[in-house]
Amino acid sequence: MKKETAIVGQRIPRPDTPAKTMGMAEYAADIKLPGLLVGRILRSPYPHANIKSIDTSKAKQLPGVAAVITFADVPQTLFNRSSMAEAFPPPILAGEVQDEYVLSDKARFVGDWIAAAAATDIYTAEKALDLIDVEYEVLPAVFDPVAAMQPGAPVIHAGKERNIAATMEYPFNCGDVEKGFKEADYIVEGFFSTSSQKMCQLEPDAAVACWYPGGRVTVWSPNENPHLAKRVFAKVLNIPDGLVRWITPAVGGGFGGRLSFGVEFICAALAKATGKPVRVECTREEDFIGHDSRTAEYQTMKMGVKKDGVITAIEHRIISDSGAYYSHSGSTTGVNLIHTLGLLRCANIYGIAQIVYTNTPVGGGFRGYGNPEGAFAIQQLIDEAAEKIGMDPLEFRLKNAREAGEPSCWAPIALESCNLEQCIRLGAERIGWREKRGLKKKGQVRRGLGMSIMTHASGAGGFLLEHSNAIIKLNEDGSANLIVSPCEMGQGILGALSQIAAEALGLRYEDIHVVTGDTDVTLFDIGSHASRSVYVIGNAVVEAARDVKRQVLERAAKKLAVSVNELDIQAARVFVKADAEKWVSVSEIAREAIYNFTLTGAHISAIGSFQSDNWCPNFQAAFAEVEVNMETGEVKVIKFVVAHDIGRAINPLNVEGQIEGGVVQGIGFALYEDFVVDKNTGNTITDSFANYKIPSILDIPEIEVILVEEPVPSGPFGAKGVGESGLVNIAPAIANAIYDAVGVRICSLPMTPEKILMALNA
């Protein structure tokens, strides 16, 4: 039973909504500084080429051009464009692949960054790029990871044999899979491929950099890990951390794209060369080509089962296409293994993955971070296994899903709570599973039901550098400044943290003023990812609030001549619990603490820190109802029911919005979105919204969200994560529904009408 609260659990609009809807929010491209120059980047026209020479003399002589830089003018320090690299412990960080320079030493994909220019306006900067003369030695290219691994394939990075950037095993391999397969009554297996989904955030990549006297540089960037980004930035520039100030302005969406560096280093290099601030803003086409997308993964999976539904063995092999550089491709693949193989109960498990370079745009970390890719494979195999033994796939999942007290997806940590069974049963009831599933189908348009289950971490305590810090200080009027460092990308985290602070302090929601986005002001945090922000930062906020509340109560106790234990705070009033008419306002306590002419003066404030040692996974069951046209292959999603084990919803309105958005994005992943690279030229074909299809309002089905609330003891007011989970289940649920409707399995994404017709004809 959840504890009654005044602010937590309320459906409150997000605090950033007015500024964004009124056009007052300031994004990186809106930053204006005295003398601001405009930077542009010259990109390779070839997928693979050595740079024999670069002549920038004509460009430098163009009036209005302040600087032109190449590989020779930037730090010769290799780095990984993932700003999360510093969050991994030393043994793992040491193995992370550092393979990029600020400007490239050779071209490795069409769009690779070769040179840059800064000028007084964008037109002059563009003309300067045209005047740069680059002599290329065009090399053979490879666009497919399997082909890239073959002997004799073009070598993309020196020293990487067969273009294999890294090989990793599932960290919790156990038992003997061969023995497990021999014990099985049935074996199901398949090959599954998932596509390079593009983030499609509304704001293209942009940044501003400015160097100040004394050698300090300030960067304005939408990167969602400002403190980690600051550290990597300082390493690459070879300056002390304290000389870097990172400011995160308003962010126009992320979905994982803000986990990577974009144009920030080039901004800083141009600003250094010119002595003036520089802004670099990408076009939509440049954002599509030059920045990360979801890492494409090719998966072979095999599962053995007994007639009674017990899983005897699971083998999972992955080849991931990192594109031209490593970025997040390794860590997303690892997350795939961890969440996919950590979902079900099985004594014999083996997982292994290879990360492979190709001459294509870079694979990175997209919402779900590998989990949706793995779910697309294992959730279809689950249905196949259930069909083999004549068991309802719902019952098969209930039989094999892990429960509280068993190992979580991060096996050394036991599940603190798990309400997956409740999610499955509630979702099945709402979609009409028993009534509609498996009915005999006829006619041109046929309906089907499918389901999927998942688990996803609330942060990565016990593995990542998983700690957060928060500052709360009371103002003279009794309001509070909450100083925290998540990245607000539209997910509503600042509102949720404000609710947590207000609840823990006993203030009103409107009394909380959030200060964020500046590494000079906020304390260390590893940013917004891994669905961690409410769980980890929220706990830090609670710790700070408890300390502030203690200070207020101690001062109020002296004023009211009672003991501290007799007092509480509610609606910004400190009152005697036995006599609510006896009270003093928080504003009076805060004001008297500051404007105090005795020796007890102080500004009431506190720092809260939280070190997570728990993944505290959330769980979800999703159910899809679809229509499939037998003549055209067209799939129409009719309804989605999603039941989510949230622990406690800090703001149900926000949680429902996260899940609904995940469903829509997942429908795009399942049916429409395909980042296509020409396998002959290396050119990106889908380089804008004109030719990259995402769901429109006409594609959105009825969505019903069920929040299963059972507060988890370790979460702030019982909360667990939700941000990424909404997307994970969608593609596999649709795939299973297609099979129920027309009897064919589609094992590659997106599941287009052409693929469905081909399968039907086969």
Side-chain angles (χ1 to χ4, degrees):
M1 196 66 146
K2 60 187 181 184
K3 179 184 175 183
E4 289 305 315
T5 50
I7 310 296
V8 163
Q10 297 301 309
R11 305 172 72 86
I12 300 174
R14 286 177 12 206
D16 58 330
T17 299
K20 289 179 177 177
T21 55
M22 295 172 69
M24 297 172 66
E26 189 175 59
Y27 298 85
D30 298 322
I31 303 296
K32 293 180 177 63
L33 299 172
L36 182 69
L37 299 173
V38 177
R40 296 291 290 148
I41 301 170
L42 180 69
R43 300 161 190 267
S44 169
Y46 302 109
H48 199 196
N50 287 325
I51 301 168
K52 297 184 71 175
S53 65
I54 302 180
D55 184 354
T56 61
S57 58
K58 293 178 183 177
K60 289 178 178 178
Q61 292 168 11
L62 183 67
V65 172
V68 181
I69 59 174
T70 67
F71 174 75
D73 305 305
V74 297
Q76 308 295 299
T77 305
L78 285 168
F79 66 97
N80 185 308
R81 72 167 60 183
S82 165
S83 58
M84 288 178 58
E86 294 293 321
F88 292 103
I92 297 174
L93 177 59
E96 279 291 277
V97 179
Q98 316 290 315
D99 58 5
E100 288 193 68
Y101 293 106
V102 175
L103 289 168
S104 296
D105 56 333
K106 83 169 188 175
R108 293 181 174 88
F109 71 100
V110 173
D112 208 348
W113 298 354
I114 306 303
T120 52
D121 58 78
I122 191 170
Y123 306 105
T124 304
E126 288 278 7
K127 191 171 182 180
L129 297 186
D130 292 337
L131 294 174
I132 299 173
D133 185 16
V134 185
E135 183 182 358
Y136 293 98
E137 177 192 1
V138 179
L139 302 171
V142 61
F143 307 112
D144 175 81
V146 176
M149 297 169 69
Q150 301 308 309
V155 177
I156 299 171
H157 287 270
K160 293 298 180 181
E161 186 180 351
R162 296 170 51 220
N163 291 305
I164 298 173
T167 299
M168 62 178 67
E169 290 195 352
Y170 173 54
F172 310 116
N173 282 332
C174 58
D176 182 340
V177 290
E178 292 306 319
K179 179 173 175 288
F181 287 129
K182 288 177 183 176
E183 293 172 351
D185 294 314
Y186 295 98
I187 293 174
V188 292
E189 56 188 318
F191 174 77
F192 304 86
S193 64
T194 53
S195 57
S196 300
Q197 185 182 20
K198 197 67 190 173
M199 288 75 179
C200 294
Q201 76 286 348
L202 289 180
E203 179 195 15
D205 188 39
V208 175
C210 182
W211 292 83
Y212 293 92
R216 201 152 194 253
V217 60
T218 299
V219 180
W220 289 262
S221 158
N223 191 291
E224 62 198 74
N225 300 329
H227 285 275
L228 294 178
K230 166 187 167 179
R231 177 156 175 77
V232 177
F233 205 75
K235 279 187 173 182
V236 173
L237 298 182
N238 195 27
I239 60 175
D241 291 20
L243 291 182
V244 180
R245 181 186 184 189
W246 201 281
I247 297 176
T248 305
V251 178
F255 309 118
R258 311 302 189 184
L259 287 169
S260 294
F261 289 104
V263 298
E264 298 94 344
F265 287 112
I266 290 178
C267 277
L270 288 170
K272 186 78 167 178
T274 62
K276 293 184 177 181
V278 174
R279 179 178 66 226
V280 177
E281 181 182 4
C282 294
T283 65
R284 178 61 62 184
E285 290 77 10
E286 289 169 341
D287 192 271
F288 260 80
I289 296 168
H291 299 270
D292 292 6
S293 56
R294 187 185 291 279
T295 298
E297 297 185 4
Y298 302 84
Q299 305 172 82
T300 302
M301 185 172 282
K302 185 176 178 182
M303 180 185 293
V305 293
K306 290 277 197 182
K307 291 178 181 178
D308 62 358
V310 171
I311 299 173
T312 61
I314 304 174
E315 184 178 81
H316 190 190
R317 295 178 180 272
I318 306 173
I319 296 174
S320 289
D321 185 354
S322 77
Y325 299 102
Y326 195 75
S327 188
H328 295 264
S329 57
S331 49
T332 57
T333 304
V335 169
N336 178 339
L337 290 170
I338 289 165
H339 286 97
T340 303
L341 297 177
L343 175 64
L344 302 175
R345 197 180 296 114
C346 181
N348 304 293
I349 295 175
Y350 181 74
I352 189 170
Q354 292 172 308
I355 321 303
V356 183
Y357 288 123
T358 59
N359 293 116
T360 61
V362 182
F366 193 111
R367 186 180 190 180
Y369 210 77
N371 201 352
E373 294 88 319
F376 183 66
I378 197 168
Q379 293 298 318
Q380 291 202 70
L381 276 195
I382 287 171
D383 269 35
E384 285 194 56
E387 185 178 29
K388 286 278 189 185
I389 63 174
M391 181 181 285
D392 186 323
L394 183 150
E395 296 299 333
F396 187 92
R397 287 172 171 84
L398 287 173
K399 183 178 184 69
N400 290 286
R402 297 182 183 183
E403 300 174 351
E406 293 186 73
S408 68
C409 49
W410 188 254
I413 300 173
L415 284 172
E416 183 180 2
S417 73
C418 175
N419 288 288
L420 180 57
E421 179 179 351
Q422 192 176 354
C423 290
I424 292 172
R425 296 196 185 282
L426 285 172
E429 180 183 345
R430 299 288 179 87
I431 199 76
W433 181 266
R434 304 292 183 194
E435 298 82 9
K436 300 177 183 178
R437 168 78 184 181
L439 297 178
K440 187 174 181 180
K441 311 298 191 301
K442 59 183 179 179
Q444 178 182 334
V445 178
R446 303 183 181 182
R447 285 205 176 192
L449 289 187
M451 71 171 294
S452 176
I453 61 173
M454 60 118 265
T455 181
H456 199 84
S458 303
F463 173 60
L464 286 183
L465 180 70
E466 190 63 291
H467 70 88
S468 289
N469 301 274
I471 302 171
I472 295 177
K473 64 173 185 176
L474 284 185
N475 299 313
E476 296 92 318
D477 62 356
S479 66
N481 285 357
L482 172 61
I483 304 166
V484 285
S485 188
C487 179
E488 176 58 78
M489 299 170 287
Q491 78 275 40
I493 183 59
L494 298 183
L497 294 177
S498 295
Q499 285 181 258
I500 291 170
E503 188 70 52
L505 287 167
L507 300 182
R508 298 161 299 196
Y509 178 71
E510 58 268 25
D511 292 330
I512 307 299
H513 310 305
V514 180
V515 179
T516 189
D518 188 340
T519 58
D520 270 10
V521 177
T522 59
L523 297 180
F524 180 82
D525 189 271
I526 68 167
S528 298
H529 52 82
S531 301
R532 68 178 293 275
S533 296
V534 161
Y535 183 76
V536 184
I537 307 175
N539 271 322
V541 170
V542 169
E543 286 300 308
R546 284 174 179 162
D547 196 347
V548 168
K549 184 175 182 179
R550 174 190 60 78
Q551 296 175 55
V552 171
L553 291 178
E554 287 176 353
R555 289 176 178 271
K558 293 177 182 177
K559 190 174 185 68
L560 295 172
V562 295
S563 70
V564 169
N565 294 335
E566 296 178 68
L567 297 176
D568 202 356
I569 308 175
Q570 193 170 19
R573 289 182 174 187
V574 187
F575 63 95
V576 178
K577 288 183 278 190
D579 181 5
E581 296 302 313
K582 191 175 181 181
W583 60 273
V584 61
S585 68
V586 172
S587 61
E588 186 175 342
I589 298 297
R591 187 167 52 252
E592 288 182 0
I594 293 173
Y595 295 100
N596 186 303
F597 296 94
T598 71
L599 296 179
T600 61
H603 193 148
I604 298 176
S605 61
I607 295 173
S609 298
F610 181 72
Q611 174 71 61
S612 177
D613 61 357
N614 191 344
W615 281 54
C616 199
N618 55 86
F619 293 86
Q620 189 187 96
F623 296 80
E625 184 172 6
V626 306
E627 285 183 348
V628 184
N629 190 310
M630 295 288 288
E631 291 189 6
T632 66
E634 180 186 9
V635 177
K636 183 178 182 181
V637 183
I638 304 300
K639 184 175 181 178
F640 247 102
V641 174
V642 180
H644 189 80
D645 173 15
I646 188 64
R648 178 72 186 274
I650 301 298
N651 184 337
L653 179 68
N654 205 43
V655 173
E656 290 164 4
Q658 283 285 290
I659 294 172
E660 289 165 357
V663 170
V664 175
Q665 207 164 32
I667 289 172
F669 184 47
L671 300 178
Y672 311 125
E673 299 184 47
D674 198 6
F675 187 70
V676 180
V677 175
D678 188 307
K679 300 302 184 183
N680 295 312
T681 65
N683 288 304
T684 299
I685 297 172
T686 50
D687 61 357
S688 73
F689 291 138
N691 48 34
Y692 183 90
K693 164 69 174 170
I694 60 175
S696 74
I697 190 68
L698 299 176
D699 302 307
I700 299 175
E702 177 189 351
I703 302 172
E704 182 178 354
V705 177
I706 304 166
L707 300 184
V708 177
E709 294 191 78
E710 183 178 307
V712 59
S714 65
F717 297 100
K720 295 199 278 189
V722 68
E724 296 173 271
S725 305
L727 195 152
V728 174
N729 272 324
I730 309 310
I734 292 174
N736 286 331
I738 290 171
Y739 181 82
D740 184 51
V742 297
V744 297
R745 289 216 169 271
I746 310 301
C747 297
S748 68
L749 292 177
M751 296 178 284
T752 60
E754 293 83 359
K755 292 177 183 177
I756 292 170
L757 285 178
M758 190 179 297
L760 287 170
N761 291 333

